[in-house]
Amino acid sequence: MAKHEKFRFKSADELRAKSRELGIELPWSDSVDLLLQPAVIQGIRVPNRLTVQPMEGFDSDENGMPGELAFRRYGRYAAGGSGMIWFEAASVLADGRSNPHQLMITDETLDQFKKLTQHIRNIAAEKYGPDHRPFLVLQLTHSGRYSKPGGDFQAKIFSDNPILGVPHTRQPIPDTRHPIPIFYSDSDIDAVKAAYIHGVELAELAGFDAVDVKACHGYLLHEMLYAFDRSDSRYGGSFENRTSFLREVLNTPSKIIKAVRLSGFDLIPYPNGFGMKNDGSDVIDPLEVKKLISEFAPIVPLWNITAGVPRLAAHVGRPYDRGAFNAPPPDEHPLIGIERLIRITGELQRAFPGLSFVGTGYSWLRQYFPNVGAGILEKKMATFIGLGRSSFAYPDAPLDLMNHGKLDPKKNCITCSKCTEFMRLNVPAGCGVRDVQYKAGGQNGR
Ligand SMILES: Cc1cc2nc3c(=O)[nH]c(=O)nc-3n(C[C@H](O)[C@H](O)[C@H](O)COP(=O)(O)O)c2cc1C
């Protein structure tokens, strides 16, 4: 296993030499033009291929209302020129919030969401003209075993997963009478499903182009995908049952475009993870991932591929230099993790060329992500290039690419995990290195 290493490359040649040394084929293009080409999703034009990945800001009020910091954050993305803005997780139910300040999409917050989508469109149109209309996606969530509606864990668990255990201890679940976790019954899941279906309708009313029925990162809908142990439930056991929640929500008659952010693999062996070979090894096997995409392809044109359960192993989905709170580095070079994400997304995009896939996990590449991203587009290994932490740090990266054809290294995300620390500390999250709003430690202006 290649050792973890911080990003110290002084040139593209050094980075590419390192990937060759690691035996990795990193897609690459010297021209970044492809990133600035428009695309079309179900008849709606997306002005370019650069996508802001969903990044929670934890700055709503107690009702989940987007506030000043959310308007600031999304205004910066709009001014920065990204073609697609994938909104952060918005909870469909108060007790499924990951944090007391997570956004919620409800009847009460609807008007404020309408103002926010309009705000984004106005800023983009003013700056780039009427042809540049960012494609807006709202991510719906229920945090399941990672719910912290009042600030402390109040896990809602569906699968008795010995690897994930109780979230704050990572111990096997000790006793079902313990106040936490709460084990969800089928009728609890039915209630969550009704809230999701309402969330889809609200997303359409709020002016989003698409709605993401999030199934990743160990949250409730992802947990159902690996609930192999719950053959006693309508939502567990067989593939049919494990995907039935998604099926019912995605088949709602609402006209809004449907999307799914999906963990393409977990690196948690079967039967405790999704997208893995069913022999209990740590080998990735997209058999069920492909089956799921193939079934939903006629109704879901947009897929955003990520991986893993961040609470267990954050580097799997977001390779970094420094882990949150100086966690010991993983036993893996960040380029290996990036290549794994590129490979699965590429395999899926090539298997389903008529669908649009957003790739994930490029922030560690700093000023070279555009070359890798354009290389990925050239090889048809994704349709959109998504940026998470980099969007916090450097929201106007697309604008710099339009104006100069390259990025300014001084504005890069340095993958220091400060934004993750803010999230864990229940304070507003943003870039504590590049964004003056958060340099004081994320406490400013909720
Ligand atoms: C502070 C923070 C908040 C995040 N919030 C979300 C979220 O709301 N929904 C989601 O699907 N992923 C979320 N992610 C994951 C990112 O969308 C993205 O997948 C990850 O950071 C890897 O991409 P990157 O290398 O460009 O940062 C979050 C990550 C961080 C660090």
Side-chain angles (χ1 to χ4, degrees), residues 224-226 228 237-240 242-243 262 264 270 273-276 278 285-295 348:
M224 282 183 222
L225 294 180
Y226 49 70
F228 297 97
S238 68
F239 176 82
E240 268 293 299
R242 283 181 285 113
T243 52
L262 181 70
Y270 170 90
F274 186 60
M276 307 299 293
N278 67 0
D285 181 356
L287 189 78
E288 283 208 333
V289 173
K290 286 183 176 166
K291 196 169 162 186
L292 187 150
I293 296 175
S294 161
E295 177 184 335
L348 297 173

Coordinates of all heavy atoms in Angstrom, one line a residue, residues 224-226 228 237-240 242-243 262 264 270 273-276 278 285-295 348:
M224 N -30.3 1.7 3.8 CA -31.3 0.7 3.3 C -30.6 -0.2 2.2 O -30.9 -1.4 2.0 CB -32.5 1.4 2.7 CG -33.4 1.8 3.8 SD -34.9 2.5 3.1 CE -35.1 3.9 4.1
L225 N -29.7 0.4 1.4 CA -29.1 -0.3 0.2 C -28.3 -1.5 0.7 O -28.1 -2.4 0.0 CB -28.3 0.6 -0.7 CG -29.1 1.7 -1.4 CD1 -28.2 2.6 -2.3 CD2 -30.2 1.1 -2.3
Y226 N -27.7 -1.3 2.0 CA -26.9 -2.5 2.5 C -27.6 -3.2 3.6 O -27.0 -3.9 4.4 CB -25.5 -2.1 2.8 CG -25.3 -0.8 3.6 CD1 -25.6 -0.8 5.0 CD2 -24.7 0.3 3.1 CE1 -25.4 0.3 5.8 CE2 -24.5 1.4 3.9 CZ -24.9 1.4 5.2 OH -24.7 2.6 6.0
F228 N -28.9 -5.8 4.1 CA -29.0 -7.3 3.7 C -29.6 -8.0 4.9 O -30.3 -9.0 4.7 CB -27.7 -7.9 3.3 CG -27.0 -7.2 2.2 CD1 -26.1 -6.2 2.3 CD2 -27.4 -7.6 0.9 CE1 -25.5 -5.6 1.2 CE2 -26.8 -7.0 -0.2 CZ -25.9 -6.0 -0.1
G237 N -33.3 -6.8 3.0 CA -33.2 -8.2 2.5 C -32.9 -8.2 1.0 O -31.8 -7.9 0.6
S238 N -33.9 -8.5 0.2 CA -33.7 -8.6 -1.2 C -33.4 -7.3 -1.9 O -33.7 -6.2 -1.4 CB -35.0 -9.2 -1.9 OG -36.0 -8.2 -1.8
F239 N -32.8 -7.3 -3.1 CA -32.5 -6.1 -3.9 C -33.8 -5.3 -4.1 O -33.8 -4.1 -3.9 CB -31.9 -6.5 -5.2 CG -31.6 -5.3 -6.1 CD1 -30.5 -4.5 -5.9 CD2 -32.5 -5.0 -7.1 CE1 -30.2 -3.4 -6.8 CE2 -32.3 -3.9 -7.9 CZ -31.2 -3.1 -7.7
E240 N -34.9 -6.0 -4.5 CA -36.2 -5.4 -4.7 C -36.6 -4.5 -3.5 O -37.0 -3.4 -3.6 CB -37.3 -6.5 -4.8 CG -37.5 -6.9 -6.2 CD -38.2 -5.8 -7.0 OE1 -39.3 -5.4 -6.6 OE2 -37.5 -5.3 -8.0
R242 N -34.6 -3.6 -0.8 CA -33.7 -2.6 -0.4 C -33.7 -1.3 -1.3 O -33.3 -0.2 -0.8 CB -32.2 -3.2 -0.4 CG -31.9 -4.1 0.7 CD -30.5 -4.6 0.7 NE -30.3 -5.7 -0.3 CZ -29.6 -5.6 -1.4 NH1 -28.9 -4.5 -1.6 NH2 -29.5 -6.6 -2.2
T243 N -34.3 -1.5 -2.5 CA -34.4 -0.3 -3.4 C -35.8 0.2 -3.4 O -36.1 1.1 -4.2 CB -33.9 -0.7 -4.8 OG1 -34.6 -1.9 -5.2 CG2 -32.4 -0.9 -4.8
L262 N -25.2 8.9 -5.1 CA -25.1 7.5 -4.8 C -23.6 7.1 -4.4 O -22.7 7.5 -5.1 CB -25.5 6.6 -6.0 CG -25.5 5.1 -5.9 CD1 -26.6 4.7 -4.9 CD2 -25.6 4.5 -7.2
G264 N -20.9 4.8 -4.8 CA -20.7 3.8 -5.8 C -20.0 2.5 -5.2 O -20.0 1.5 -5.8
Y270 N -19.2 -6.7 2.2 CA -20.5 -7.3 2.3 C -20.5 -8.2 3.5 O -19.5 -8.9 3.8 CB -20.7 -8.1 1.0 CG -21.9 -9.0 1.0 CD1 -23.1 -8.6 0.5 CD2 -21.8 -10.3 1.4 CE1 -24.2 -9.4 0.5 CE2 -22.9 -11.2 1.4 CZ -24.1 -10.7 1.0 OH -25.2 -11.5 1.0
G273 N -21.7 -3.4 3.6 CA -21.5 -2.2 2.8 C -22.2 -2.5 1.4 O -22.5 -3.6 1.1
F274 N -22.3 -1.4 0.6 CA -23.0 -1.5 -0.7 C -21.9 -1.4 -1.8 O -20.9 -0.7 -1.6 CB -24.0 -0.4 -0.9 CG -24.8 -0.5 -2.1 CD1 -25.6 -1.6 -2.4 CD2 -24.8 0.6 -3.0 CE1 -26.4 -1.7 -3.5 CE2 -25.6 0.5 -4.2 CZ -26.4 -0.6 -4.4
G275 N -22.1 -2.0 -2.9 CA -21.2 -1.9 -4.0 C -19.9 -2.8 -3.9 O -18.9 -2.5 -4.5
M276 N -20.0 -3.8 -3.0 CA -18.9 -4.7 -2.8 C -19.2 -6.1 -3.2 O -20.3 -6.5 -3.2 CB -18.6 -4.6 -1.2 CG -18.4 -3.2 -0.7 SD -17.0 -2.3 -1.4 CE -15.6 -3.2 -0.9
N278 N -19.8 -9.9 -3.1 CA -20.5 -10.6 -2.0 C -19.8 -11.8 -1.4 O -20.5 -12.7 -0.9 CB -21.9 -11.0 -2.5 CG -21.9 -12.0 -3.5 OD1 -20.8 -12.5 -3.9 ND2 -23.1 -12.4 -4.0
D285 N -17.4 -4.2 -6.3 CA -18.1 -4.9 -7.3 C -19.4 -4.1 -7.6 O -20.3 -4.2 -6.8 CB -18.4 -6.3 -6.9 CG -19.2 -7.1 -8.0 OD1 -19.5 -6.4 -9.0 OD2 -19.5 -8.3 -7.8
P286 N -19.4 -3.4 -8.8 CA -20.6 -2.6 -9.0 C -21.8 -3.3 -9.6 O -22.7 -2.6 -10.1 CB -20.0 -1.6 -10.1 CG -18.9 -2.3 -10.7 CD -18.4 -3.3 -9.8
L287 N -21.9 -4.6 -9.4 CA -23.0 -5.4 -9.9 C -24.4 -4.8 -9.5 O -25.2 -4.4 -10.4 CB -22.9 -6.8 -9.4 CG -23.9 -7.8 -10.1 CD1 -23.4 -8.2 -11.4 CD2 -24.0 -9.1 -9.2
E288 N -24.6 -4.6 -8.2 CA -25.9 -4.0 -7.8 C -26.0 -2.6 -8.1 O -27.1 -2.1 -8.3 CB -26.0 -4.3 -6.3 CG -26.4 -5.7 -5.9 CD -27.2 -5.8 -4.6 OE1 -27.1 -5.0 -3.8 OE2 -28.0 -6.8 -4.5
V289 N -24.9 -1.9 -8.1 CA -24.9 -0.4 -8.4 C -25.5 -0.3 -9.9 O -26.3 0.5 -10.1 CB -23.5 0.2 -8.3 CG1 -23.5 1.6 -8.8 CG2 -23.1 0.1 -6.8
K290 N -24.9 -1.1 -10.7 CA -25.4 -1.1 -12.2 C -26.8 -1.5 -12.3 O -27.6 -0.9 -13.1 CB -24.5 -1.9 -13.0 CG -23.1 -1.3 -13.3 CD -22.3 -2.2 -14.2 CE -21.0 -1.6 -14.5 NZ -20.0 -2.5 -15.1
K291 N -27.2 -2.5 -11.5 CA -28.6 -3.0 -11.6 C -29.5 -1.9 -11.2 O -30.6 -1.6 -11.8 CB -28.7 -4.2 -10.6 CG -29.9 -5.0 -10.8 CD -29.7 -6.3 -10.0 CE -31.1 -7.0 -9.8 NZ -31.1 -8.1 -8.9
L292 N -29.1 -1.2 -10.1 CA -30.0 -0.1 -9.6 C -30.1 1.1 -10.7 O -31.2 1.5 -11.0 CB -29.3 0.5 -8.3 CG -30.1 1.5 -7.5 CD1 -29.7 1.3 -6.0 CD2 -29.7 2.9 -7.9
I293 N -28.9 1.5 -11.2 CA -28.9 2.5 -12.2 C -29.7 2.1 -13.4 O -30.5 2.9 -14.0 CB -27.5 3.0 -12.6 CG1 -26.8 3.5 -11.3 CG2 -27.5 4.0 -13.7 CD1 -25.3 3.9 -11.5
S294 N -29.5 0.9 -13.9 CA -30.2 0.4 -15.1 C -31.7 0.5 -14.9 O -32.5 0.9 -15.7 CB -29.7 -1.0 -15.3 OG -30.6 -1.7 -16.1
E295 N -32.2 0.1 -13.7 CA -33.6 0.1 -13.4 C -34.2 1.5 -13.5 O -35.3 1.8 -14.0 CB -34.0 -0.6 -12.1 CG -35.5 -0.5 -11.9 CD -35.9 -1.0 -10.5 OE1 -35.3 -1.9 -10.0 OE2 -37.0 -0.6 -10.1
L348 N -19.3 3.6 -14.7 CA -20.7 3.8 -14.8 C -21.1 4.6 -16.0 O -22.1 4.4 -16.7 CB -21.2 4.3 -13.5 CG -21.0 3.4 -12.3 CD1 -21.3 4.1 -11.0 CD2 -21.8 2.1 -12.4

